[in-house]
Coordinates of all heavy atoms in Angstrom, one line a residue:
N1 N -10.6 31.4 45.7 CA -9.9 32.5 45.1 C -10.3 33.8 45.8 O -9.7 34.3 46.6 CB -10.1 32.5 43.6 CG -9.1 33.5 43.0 OD1 -7.9 33.2 43.0 ND2 -9.6 34.6 42.4
A2 N -11.4 34.3 45.3 CA -11.9 35.6 45.9 C -12.6 35.5 47.2 O -12.7 36.4 48.0 CB -12.8 36.3 44.9
D3 N -13.2 34.3 47.4 CA -14.0 34.1 48.6 C -14.0 32.6 48.9 O -13.1 31.8 48.5 CB -15.4 34.6 48.5 CG -16.1 34.2 47.2 OD1 -15.8 33.0 46.7 OD2 -16.8 35.0 46.6
D4 N -15.0 32.1 49.7 CA -15.0 30.7 50.0 C -15.7 29.8 49.0 O -15.9 28.6 49.2 CB -15.7 30.5 51.4 CG -17.1 31.0 51.4 OD1 -17.6 31.5 50.4 OD2 -17.8 30.8 52.5
A5 N -16.0 30.4 47.8 CA -16.6 29.6 46.7 C -15.4 28.8 46.0 O -14.3 29.3 45.9 CB -17.3 30.5 45.7
F6 N -15.7 27.6 45.6 CA -14.7 26.8 44.9 C -14.7 27.1 43.4 O -15.8 27.3 42.8 CB -15.0 25.3 45.1 CG -15.0 24.9 46.6 CD1 -16.1 24.4 47.1 CD2 -13.9 25.1 47.4 CE1 -16.1 24.0 48.5 CE2 -13.9 24.7 48.7 CZ -15.0 24.2 49.3
T7 N -13.6 27.0 42.8 CA -13.4 27.2 41.4 C -12.3 26.4 40.8 O -11.2 26.3 41.5 CB -13.2 28.7 41.0 OG1 -13.0 28.8 39.6 CG2 -12.0 29.3 41.7
L8 N -12.5 25.8 39.6 CA -11.4 25.1 39.0 C -10.7 25.9 37.9 O -9.7 25.4 37.3 CB -12.0 23.8 38.3 CG -12.4 22.7 39.2 CD1 -13.2 21.7 38.4 CD2 -11.2 22.0 39.8
W9 N -11.0 27.2 37.8 CA -10.4 28.0 36.8 C -8.9 28.3 37.0 O -8.1 28.4 36.1 CB -11.1 29.3 36.7 CG -12.4 29.2 35.8 CD1 -13.6 29.3 36.2 CD2 -12.4 28.9 34.4 NE1 -14.5 29.0 35.2 CE2 -13.8 28.8 34.1 CE3 -11.4 28.7 33.4 CZ2 -14.2 28.5 32.8 CZ3 -11.8 28.4 32.1 CH2 -13.2 28.3 31.8
R10 N -8.5 28.2 38.3 CA -7.0 28.4 38.5 C -6.2 27.3 37.9 O -5.2 27.5 37.3 CB -6.8 28.6 40.0 CG -5.3 28.9 40.3 CD -5.2 29.6 41.6 NE -3.8 29.6 42.1 CZ -3.3 28.9 43.1 NH1 -4.1 28.2 43.8 NH2 -2.1 29.0 43.4
R11 N -6.7 26.1 38.1 CA -6.1 24.9 37.5 C -6.1 24.9 36.0 O -5.2 24.6 35.3 CB -6.7 23.6 38.1 CG -6.0 22.4 37.5 CD -6.2 21.1 38.3 NE -7.5 20.5 38.1 CZ -7.9 19.3 38.6 NH1 -7.0 18.6 39.3 NH2 -9.1 18.9 38.4
R12 N -7.3 25.3 35.5 CA -7.5 25.3 34.0 C -6.5 26.4 33.4 O -5.9 26.1 32.4 CB -8.9 25.7 33.7 CG -9.9 24.5 34.0 CD -11.3 25.0 34.0 NE -12.3 24.0 34.4 CZ -13.5 24.2 34.8 NH1 -13.9 25.5 34.9 NH2 -14.3 23.2 35.1
F13 N -6.4 27.6 34.0 CA -5.6 28.6 33.4 C -4.1 28.2 33.6 O -3.3 28.5 32.7 CB -5.8 29.9 34.1 CG -7.1 30.6 33.6 CD1 -8.0 31.2 34.6 CD2 -7.5 30.6 32.3 CE1 -9.2 31.8 34.2 CE2 -8.7 31.2 31.9 CZ -9.5 31.8 32.8
H14 N -3.7 27.5 34.6 CA -2.4 27.0 34.8 C -2.1 25.9 33.7 O -1.0 25.9 33.1 CB -2.2 26.3 36.2 CG -1.7 27.2 37.2 ND1 -2.5 28.0 38.0 CD2 -0.4 27.5 37.6 CE1 -1.7 28.7 38.8 NE2 -0.4 28.4 38.6
H15 N -3.1 25.1 33.4 CA -2.9 24.1 32.3 C -2.7 24.8 30.9 O -1.8 24.4 30.1 CB -4.1 23.2 32.2 CG -4.0 22.1 33.2 ND1 -5.1 21.5 33.8 CD2 -3.0 21.4 33.7 CE1 -4.8 20.5 34.6 NE2 -3.5 20.4 34.6
F16 N -3.5 25.8 30.6 CA -3.3 26.6 29.4 C -1.9 27.2 29.3 O -1.2 27.1 28.3 CB -4.3 27.7 29.3 CG -5.7 27.4 28.7 CD1 -6.8 27.4 29.5 CD2 -5.8 27.1 27.4 CE1 -8.1 27.0 28.9 CE2 -7.0 26.7 26.8 CZ -8.1 26.7 27.6
T17 N -1.5 27.7 30.5 CA -0.1 28.4 30.5 C 1.0 27.3 30.3 O 1.9 27.5 29.5 CB 0.0 29.1 31.8 OG1 -1.0 30.1 31.9 CG2 1.4 29.8 31.9
F18 N 0.9 26.3 31.2 CA 2.0 25.3 31.1 C 2.1 24.6 29.8 O 3.2 24.5 29.2 CB 1.8 24.3 32.3 CG 2.8 23.2 32.2 CD1 4.2 23.4 32.6 CD2 2.5 21.9 31.8 CE1 5.1 22.4 32.6 CE2 3.4 20.9 31.8 CZ 4.7 21.1 32.2
Y19 N 1.0 24.1 29.3 CA 1.0 23.3 28.1 C 1.2 24.2 26.9 O 1.8 23.8 25.9 CB -0.2 22.4 28.0 CG -0.2 21.3 28.9 CD1 -1.0 21.2 30.0 CD2 0.7 20.2 28.8 CE1 -1.0 20.2 31.0 CE2 0.8 19.2 29.7 CZ -0.1 19.2 30.8 OH 0.0 18.2 31.7
G20 N 0.8 25.5 27.0 CA 1.1 26.4 25.9 C 2.6 26.7 25.8 O 3.2 26.7 24.8
F21 N 3.2 26.9 27.0 CA 4.7 27.1 27.1 C 5.4 25.8 26.5 O 6.4 26.0 25.7 CB 5.1 27.3 28.5 CG 6.6 27.6 28.7 CD1 7.1 28.9 28.5 CD2 7.4 26.6 29.0 CE1 8.4 29.2 28.7 CE2 8.8 26.8 29.1 CZ 9.3 28.1 29.0
M22 N 5.0 24.6 26.9 CA 5.6 23.4 26.4 C 5.5 23.2 24.9 O 6.4 22.7 24.2 CB 5.1 22.2 27.2 CG 5.4 22.2 28.7 SD 7.2 22.4 29.0 CE 7.9 20.9 28.3
L23 N 4.3 23.6 24.4 CA 4.1 23.5 22.9 C 5.0 24.5 22.2 O 5.6 24.1 21.1 CB 2.7 23.7 22.6 CG 1.7 22.6 22.9 CD1 0.2 23.0 22.6 CD2 2.0 21.3 22.1
C24 N 5.2 25.7 22.7 CA 6.1 26.6 22.1 C 7.5 26.1 22.2 O 8.3 26.3 21.2 CB 5.9 28.0 22.8 SG 4.4 28.8 22.4
F25 N 7.9 25.5 23.3 CA 9.2 25.0 23.4 C 9.4 23.8 22.4 O 10.5 23.7 21.8 CB 9.4 24.5 24.9 CG 10.8 23.9 25.1 CD1 11.9 24.8 25.2 CD2 11.0 22.6 25.2 CE1 13.2 24.3 25.5 CE2 12.3 22.0 25.5 CZ 13.4 22.9 25.6
A26 N 8.4 23.0 22.3 CA 8.4 21.9 21.3 C 8.6 22.4 19.9 O 9.3 21.8 19.1 CB 7.2 21.0 21.5
A27 N 7.9 23.5 19.6 CA 8.1 24.1 18.3 C 9.5 24.5 18.0 O 10.0 24.3 16.9 CB 7.1 25.3 18.1
T28 N 10.2 25.1 19.0 CA 11.6 25.5 18.9 C 12.5 24.2 18.7 O 13.4 24.2 17.8 CB 12.0 26.2 20.1 OG1 11.2 27.4 20.3 CG2 13.5 26.7 20.0
V29 N 12.2 23.2 19.4 CA 13.0 21.9 19.3 C 12.8 21.3 17.9 O 13.8 20.9 17.3 CB 12.6 20.9 20.4 CG1 13.3 19.6 20.2 CG2 13.0 21.5 21.8

């Protein structure tokens, strides 16, 4: 991300975002 160090936070934050969105969509359904 910022340099050549590895981080899994981009994947984790994507998971929070995607599954959060899907849960909100499920609530509407």
